């Protein structure tokens, strides 16, 4: 008999940013494990396609259209989720991304940074996590317990070259994760916890051109990353499933305020 503390069966999981490469993989995995996945996204076609894909494998899913950087939009989703489900067990904040204007490439300097792009990156990554956490938290209070899982990045702890906006925003996610850990336990009790997963380098549509050439070989930056990754490969979406499962399950009920690296050893390598 399997350990019930690892079961995800019947858990109601609200999931923002679920329609991206990593989010889709994680959503499908959670559904296969018996969770009920509530997809939050701003593009109706993408949300609908993911819900149908989950249902096609026998999973349970529903979709809610909202912009996670807009409080009123998320409040509208809250009302629909409350009506349909009453409460949630888990919130996964995976909405995020970068913009070219918030990147300082080798041929540019700080003066070329586009502040409007920087604001948008901060809004998407930071407010896109803070707003759903604030607005949807009462759905956890209705359940008497709750679990927030944020998606950070290795760029948060190591301010890497080029990705100024993204790295700064993810550093804010790490800080927010630890802040909310203390805040929720202090005011609502030990049944509420907050953690984050910090992926290393995974090939997505956003970074593929930075890391690989059109023929699939590595760019200079890609080679540099490989030389600092003991496992010498990029992550596959499936590499996140085990950590995600553990953090969603009751098996990790004494874990809060933690940033879990899933990076093939990148954060352990000093280069010496």
């Amino acid at each position: 008999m399997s350990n019930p503390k690892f079961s995800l069966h019947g858990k109601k999981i609200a999931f923002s940013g679920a329609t991206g490469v990593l989010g889709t993989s994680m959503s499908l995995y959670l559904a296969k494990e018996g969770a009920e996945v509530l997809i939050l996204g701003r593009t109706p076609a993408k949300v609908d396609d993911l819900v149908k894909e989950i249902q096609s494998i026998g999973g349970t899913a529903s979709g809610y259209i909202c912009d996670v950087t807009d409080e009123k939009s998320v409040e509208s989703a809250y009302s629909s989720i409350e009506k349909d489900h009453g409460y949630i067990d888990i919130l996964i904040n995976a909405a995020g991304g970068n913009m070219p204007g918030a990147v300082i490439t080798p041929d540019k300097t700080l003066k070329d940074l586009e502040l409007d792009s920087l604001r948008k990156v901060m809004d998407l990554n930071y407010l896109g996590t803070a707003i759903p956490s604030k607005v949807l938290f009462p759905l956890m209070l209705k359940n008497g317990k709750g679990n927030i899982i944020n998606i950070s990045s290795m760029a948060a702890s190591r301010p890497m070259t080029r990705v100024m906006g993204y790295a700064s925003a993810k550093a804010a996610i790490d800080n927010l994760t630890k802040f909310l850990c203390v805040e929720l336990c202090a005011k609502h009790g030990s049944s509420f916890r907050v953690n984050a997963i910090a992926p290393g380098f995974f090939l997505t549509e956003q970074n593929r051109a930075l890391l690989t050439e059109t023929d699939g070989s590595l760019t200079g930056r890609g080679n540099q990353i490989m030389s600092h990754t003991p496992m010498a490969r990029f992550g596959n979406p499936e590499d996140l499933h085990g950590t995600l499962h553990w953090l969603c399950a009751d098996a990790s009920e004494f874990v809060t305020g933690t940033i879990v690296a899933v990076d093939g050893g990148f954060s352990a390598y000093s280069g010496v």
Side-chain angles (χ1 to χ4, degrees):
M1 177 180 289
S2 60
N3 188 333
K5 279 189 171 291
F6 283 93
S7 174
L8 303 184
H9 186 77
K11 287 188 180 293
K12 298 179 185 291
I13 303 177
F15 199 144
S16 75
T19 59
V21 173
L22 300 183
T24 293
S25 178
M26 290 189 284
S27 297
L28 290 166
Y29 173 80
L30 294 171
K32 289 176 183 176
E33 291 298 314
E36 187 172 354
V37 188
L38 318 181
I39 305 298
L40 305 177
R42 59 184 177 180
T43 306
K46 290 183 179 180
V47 171
D48 188 52
D49 285 347
L50 181 53
V51 168
K52 289 179 179 177
E53 187 174 1
I54 290 172
Q55 292 172 342
S56 73
I57 62 170
T60 303
S62 50
Y64 299 90
I65 308 304
C66 69
D67 178 350
V68 292
T69 67
D70 184 324
E71 186 173 8
K72 291 188 181 301
S73 179
V74 181
E75 286 173 347
S76 178
Y78 171 96
S79 298
S80 297
I81 293 171
E82 182 182 35
K83 179 181 177 181
D84 294 343
H85 303 280
Y87 68 92
I88 60 173
D89 295 288
I90 299 165
L91 169 63
I92 300 174
N93 289 307
N98 201 11
M99 297 186 69
V103 173
I104 301 178
T105 54
D107 59 321
K108 295 182 179 180
T109 65
L110 182 60
K111 68 180 178 61
D112 298 306
L113 179 70
E114 297 176 11
L115 293 183
D116 185 56
S117 294
L118 181 63
R119 289 189 185 95
K120 289 178 180 177
V121 170
M122 293 299 294
D123 281 356
L124 176 58
N125 291 275
Y126 184 77
L127 289 182
T129 294
I131 289 174
S133 297
K134 172 194 173 183
V135 174
L136 300 182
F137 179 66
L139 290 171
M140 296 181 182
L141 287 175
K142 290 177 178 292
N143 193 32
K145 59 182 180 179
N147 183 0
I148 298 174
I149 301 171
N150 299 323
I151 303 301
S152 181
S153 168
M154 273 298 99
S157 57
R158 293 192 171 193
M160 299 169 192
T161 58
R162 304 190 188 189
V163 290
M164 176 181 169
Y166 182 77
S168 299
K170 289 303 187 181
I173 295 300
D174 283 7
N175 188 281
L176 177 65
T177 297
K178 295 178 179 182
F179 174 85
L180 289 178
C181 153
V182 177
E183 173 72 10
L184 298 191
C185 280
K187 296 179 180 176
H188 303 285
S190 61
S191 294
F192 296 90
R193 55 199 184 95
V194 188
N195 294 287
I197 297 174
F201 290 89
F202 288 68
L203 283 180
T204 66
E205 294 311 309
Q206 290 187 357
N207 66 16
R208 188 176 301 276
L210 283 173
L211 303 179
T212 61
E213 303 287 1
T214 54
D215 63 0
S217 62
L218 296 178
T219 62
R221 188 171 178 82
N223 275 307
Q224 190 175 26
I225 290 165
M226 283 299 99
S227 69
H228 287 74
T229 303
M231 286 191 174
R233 68 173 177 85
F234 294 122
N236 298 311
E238 296 78 13
D239 291 325
L240 296 171
H241 294 174
T243 300
L244 179 68
H245 188 129
W246 174 62
L247 288 177
C248 286
D250 295 340
S252 59
E253 62 188 356
F254 196 53
V255 179
T256 192
T258 296
I259 316 297
V260 184
V262 183
D263 67 350
F266 181 86
S267 58
Y269 185 71
S270 68
V272 177

